[in-house]
Amino acid sequence: MFLYPLLFISALVGSRAEENVRQPTEDVMVVEGHPTTLTCLFDTTSPSPYLFWYKLANAKPIFMLRRDTFSPGETTTEFKDRFDAHLNVTGKSVPLTIQRLQLSDSAVYYCALRPTVTKVYSGPLQKL
């Protein structure tokens, strides 16, 4: 059994002051094999917000999942088995739960309103 840090940061998203997310805890110490939940609180004027979770790997954000009020959301294949989030519009939260923690889960996680990252390009882009 190992204790290791599971880090996450908050991201301020949106062009208006009333559109933001907060992650009140910066560092989380967890036990391998156990579950943990990362908190994400948000403020928005939208009656139907879209919330996203990302994992930072090699200084690049990796899209994990999206939750919204009108669909079951979306979770990428890599994160389907052990990662889940439930959007609570009334409580203005979308906590991320990770089951059966592994050492490879140690990373920076952040939540966001709206899609802040849609694609990561490794080469130059060309206009058509």
Side-chain angles (χ1 to χ4, degrees):
M1 190 178 326
F2 298 96
L3 281 174
Y4 56 95
L6 189 67
L7 305 173
F8 63 100
I9 58 173
S10 62
L12 179 63
V13 182
S15 59
R16 299 176 302 206
E18 64 271 11
E19 306 285 328
N20 68 72
V21 295
R22 297 176 313 285
Q23 292 176 252
T25 308
E26 292 182 13
D27 298 328
V28 178
M29 296 299 287
V30 295
V31 178
E32 188 174 23
H34 289 249
T36 194
T37 300
L38 306 179
T39 303
C40 176
L41 306 172
F42 63 90
D43 290 311
T44 183
T45 56
S46 172
S48 54
Y50 283 70
L51 276 294
F52 301 80
W53 275 98
Y54 296 91
K55 178 180 182 178
L56 209 59
N58 299 320
K60 294 181 182 178
I62 298 172
F63 169 73
M64 297 171 59
L65 55 87
R66 170 189 52 82
R67 297 296 181 260
D68 63 80
T69 54
F70 296 113
S71 76
E74 168 187 14
T75 304
T76 58
T77 305
E78 177 184 353
F79 298 102
K80 278 190 179 186
D81 290 339
R82 298 182 304 108
F83 295 76
D84 194 22
H86 175 74
L87 176 61
N88 180 341
V89 177
T90 306
K92 295 188 175 185
S93 69
V94 61
L96 176 68
T97 301
I98 307 170
Q99 301 293 332
R100 301 177 310 281
L101 283 161
Q102 300 172 3
L103 189 57
S104 60
D105 296 331
S106 184
V108 175
Y109 294 86
Y110 67 94
C111 64
L113 279 164
R114 290 191 223 84
T116 56
V117 176
T118 55
K119 292 184 180 178
V120 176
Y121 294 98
S122 58
L125 297 178
Q126 182 178 22
K127 285 187 178 181
L128 299 178

